[in-house]
Amino acid sequence: MKYSNPIQIWEAALGSLELQVSRPSYATWLKGTVGLFFNDNKMVVGAPSSFVAQWLEQRMSSLVEATLSQVTGQPATIRFQVLTEPSLHTVNQMEPQALPAQLIRPANGRAASNEPRSIKLNPKYTLDSFVVGESNQLAHAAAVAVSSRPGIAYNPLFLYGGVGLGKTHLLHGIGHASAGKGLSCLYVSSEQFTNEFITAIQLKRTGEFREKYRSVDVLLMDDIQFMRGKEAIQEGFFHTFNDLHNSNRQIVIACDRPSSALAPLEDRLRSRFQWGLSADIRMPDIETRKAILEVKASSMGVGVPDKVLDLISEHFLSSIRDLEGALNRVCAYADLTDQPLGLDLAYQSLGDLLTTKQKKRPSAEVVISRVCVFYNVDAQALRSKRRDKKVTFARQVAVYLLRELTNMSLKDIGFLVGNRDHTTIRHAWAKIVEDKDSNSALKAQLGALYEDIEDSLSE
Ligand code: ADP
Ligand code: MG
């Protein structure tokens, strides 16, 4: 069997169920569930309420069992339980020795009772090694402020941005700086938090769990989006958050989207995130990308010609992780083939990556004009102060697409659509990010616009 713990098995089953049931049905009944226990082909799944548990038990058991059997390769039976204290009691009754080994230990491999300490911080991810440019300036400044006055400056600090743009790097950086001041700090992904929470409940160690999380000076919680739809986990985190916040301990959260676009996440948790400071991280401009490569090359002790750095920073536009990957690839290629590191070799080693990454970006004019045609709105109106529904909506879509497709700053986008300030623009963008997951008509419109704009690039 590919999967070895109940969480993974259930996640795999959910992936397949999502394709088999309707969207609303998945969202209503399956989304907040979590795999609790799997042994002897029996699976126990936690559901957020007794209503959901009952419904699943009565109406979906056979579909779920068939899916589970496919995932595990053996016939399986299923039982649903409520993820609240009284019914978790039943889970508590299960003999710990019957639990799979992975669940007895928390995900980080330490007993849940261990004292918190700075764990698994990557020594390379410091605040000093983080290259600052316009796209990440606010996030970096906030990280520095929080490190110098933990619990006081901005609490919580909420960092958000796409994959591979430096969120984890900044969390670790804050961790190093705080640990350097003698503060206890704990870095944890929300996936790990979830695993530990469930294990603690199963092994009746909730007291130790609470103690571990609530005694730290700085809690660094990565990838909070993983908690979406997991209500029991959010509940656990909500209490941890409040305890820490009430005693002025610092909380830093990283997420792949703004907190306003975090639905479904309990409102009270989302509103907590807005208490402090939110800072976004975007893909850096070309100069900053090059500066990052320079730092990286010198830390590897490799002299990389300027032209090669230019080539890489021109072509890798969506994540710093890819940018670094390209540099590593070029260096490894030079090393392995024993050739001098130059432009020819860079083209050779990056060949296929360059063609796929070499995506042309549309101009702002193209984006705006396509949106206007699509929604039958006058471009003049889009740039005006008009706030009627139709124009406002088209403007929001234009802002969203400009931000996603052109690499323009919020300020520049604001200037283009009627000289609006960057907070208004951020709000317009976040609105579409938030709506597009739940509004299938909007999703389809965005898809059509993407295609339309893409076509215009090859014209
Ligand atoms: P995320 O958590 O946002 O997905 P990471 O923090 O894992 O991204 O960053 C991916 C890689 O890019 C890491 O190796 C990180 O050190 C590097 N990186 C990202 N931003 C910067 C930056 N501004 N300066 C230096 N390195 C960066
Ligand atoms: Mg990360």
Side-chain angles (χ1 to χ4, degrees):
M1 187 171 31
K2 263 197 312 202
Y3 309 100
S4 52
N5 78 41
I7 296 172
Q8 288 176 338
I9 294 171
W10 185 240
E11 288 290 328
L14 279 181
S16 159
L17 285 164
E18 193 169 4
L19 301 175
Q20 300 177 61
V21 303
S22 73
R23 235 176 109 102
S25 176
Y26 182 85
T28 316
W29 308 111
L30 289 163
K31 212 153 180 190
T33 55
V34 52
L36 292 175
F37 174 82
F38 184 79
N39 199 31
D40 216 9
N41 295 340
K42 291 192 190 69
M43 177 101 202
V44 180
V45 167
S49 72
S50 61
F51 181 62
V52 170
Q54 255 175 26
W55 200 96
L56 286 168
E57 190 90 51
Q58 286 163 7
R59 314 278 289 272
M60 268 200 196
S61 285
S62 46
L63 175 68
V64 171
E65 284 178 352
T67 308
L68 261 181
S69 309
Q70 258 174 10
V71 168
T72 61
Q74 309 153 36
T77 58
I78 183 92
R79 197 152 56 80
F80 293 95
Q81 288 205 334
V82 194
L83 271 177
T84 52
E85 295 299 335
S87 70
L88 278 173
H89 202 65
T90 336
V91 179
N92 288 345
Q93 305 300 315
M94 288 170 181
E95 290 172 46
Q97 57 270 36
L99 292 171
Q102 288 82 348
L103 268 187
I104 294 174
R105 274 180 287 112
N108 65 11
R110 297 184 302 128
S113 61
N114 271 8
E115 281 298 294
R117 67 184 70 123
S118 207
I119 50 157
K120 284 201 220 150
L121 290 182
N122 185 329
K124 290 189 188 145
Y125 292 175
T126 63
L127 293 178
D128 287 341
S129 67
F130 191 85
V131 178
V132 184
E134 195 205 324
S135 62
N136 55 29
Q137 202 171 16
L138 177 64
H140 181 261
V144 171
V146 155
S147 308
S148 61
R149 300 167 68 213
I152 299 165
Y154 305 107
N155 206 12
L157 171 61
F158 188 93
L159 300 173
Y160 66 93
V163 179
L165 296 183
K167 301 181 296 293
T168 300
H169 186 135
L170 281 180
L171 287 190
H172 285 215
I174 296 171
H176 288 301
S178 320
K181 288 189 142 96
L183 297 172
S184 67
C185 86
L186 185 61
Y187 166 84
V188 70
S189 70
S190 64
E191 190 167 7
Q192 196 176 329
F193 179 88
T194 301
N195 291 346
E196 289 186 22
F197 182 71
I198 292 169
T199 310
I201 290 172
Q202 286 176 327
L203 302 183
K204 297 188 201 166
R205 285 192 185 151
T206 48
E208 288 166 24
F209 174 85
R210 206 168 294 139
E211 189 48 35
K212 169 179 173 177
Y213 278 93
R214 297 178 192 184
S215 61
V216 296
D217 296 315
V218 180
L219 178 64
L220 307 161
M221 174 70 77
D222 210 348
D223 293 322
I224 193 96
Q225 72 274 2
F226 183 81
M227 281 188 197
R228 289 165 77 224
K230 302 188 172 69
E231 288 173 27
I233 310 301
Q234 290 169 28
E235 179 79 18
F237 183 59
F238 181 74
H239 293 300
T240 309
F241 182 100
N242 283 342
D243 281 357
L244 289 172
H245 200 272
N246 289 341
S247 50
N248 294 327
R249 314 290 176 90
Q250 179 69 46
I251 302 148
V252 188
I253 294 161
C255 186
D256 71 350
R257 64 199 82 190
S259 62
S260 57
L262 258 181
L265 191 83
E266 264 191 285
D267 282 348
R268 52 181 189 163
L269 201 49
R270 261 191 292 166
S271 75
R272 291 288 188 277
F273 296 164
Q274 282 150 18
W275 279 358
L277 175 74
S278 266
D280 72 336
I281 308 187
R282 307 261 309 144
M283 187 61 183
D285 55 27
I286 186 159
E287 289 80 24
T288 315
R289 293 205 293 275
K290 189 170 172 194
I292 292 174
L293 287 175
E294 275 163 358
V295 169
K296 176 87 182 159
S298 85
S299 81
M300 297 194 304
V302 190
V304 182
D306 225 37
K307 284 209 159 83
V308 173
L309 296 179
D310 282 336
L311 177 78
I312 299 175
S313 35
E314 263 162 37
H315 285 101
F316 290 81
L317 306 172
S318 58
S319 116
I320 305 291
R321 195 169 293 141
D322 291 352
L323 192 77
E324 288 184 351
L327 179 68
N328 285 335
R329 184 164 165 154
V330 172
C331 295
Y333 198 85
D335 206 31
L336 292 170
T337 58
D338 214 7
Q339 289 179 59
L341 210 169
L343 211 46
D344 281 352
L345 177 124
Y347 273 112
Q348 260 176 51
S349 58
L350 295 175
D352 49 331
L353 293 177
L354 288 179
T355 42
T356 51
K357 299 282 172 184
Q358 205 170 13
K359 253 184 154 176
K360 267 206 276 174
R361 286 184 178 250
S363 69
E365 287 66 35
V366 164
V367 174
I368 291 180
S369 76
R370 298 288 154 146
V371 170
C372 287
V373 169
F374 194 88
Y375 291 111
N376 195 18
V377 165
D378 193 67
Q380 206 78 44
L382 199 98
R383 293 193 164 95
S384 73
K385 296 287 170 209
R386 269 177 61 181
R387 296 175 63 176
D388 48 292
K389 222 168 159 189
K390 189 175 162 191
V391 174
T392 303
F393 178 69
R395 192 181 291 124
Q396 284 170 345
V397 170
V399 164
Y400 171 80
L401 290 172
L402 285 169
R403 193 149 197 233
E404 296 300 314
L405 298 175
T406 67
N407 219 15
M408 286 169 75
S409 70
L410 291 171
K411 212 170 118 206
D412 292 345
I413 296 175
F415 181 72
L416 267 187
V417 298
N419 218 358
R420 292 175 154 79
D421 72 34
H422 71 278
T423 356
T424 312
I425 297 303
R426 191 197 309 271
H427 187 76
W429 169 73
K431 178 90 184 69
I432 300 293
V433 172
E434 183 178 353
D435 290 353
K436 75 179 183 2
D437 286 338
S438 53
N439 180 341
S440 51
L442 172 61
K443 204 168 182 174
Q445 290 163 14
L446 290 174
L449 275 164
Y450 271 124
E451 257 178 50
D452 200 14
I453 293 169
E454 187 112 321
D455 287 348
S456 77
L457 292 177
S458 45
E459 274 165 11

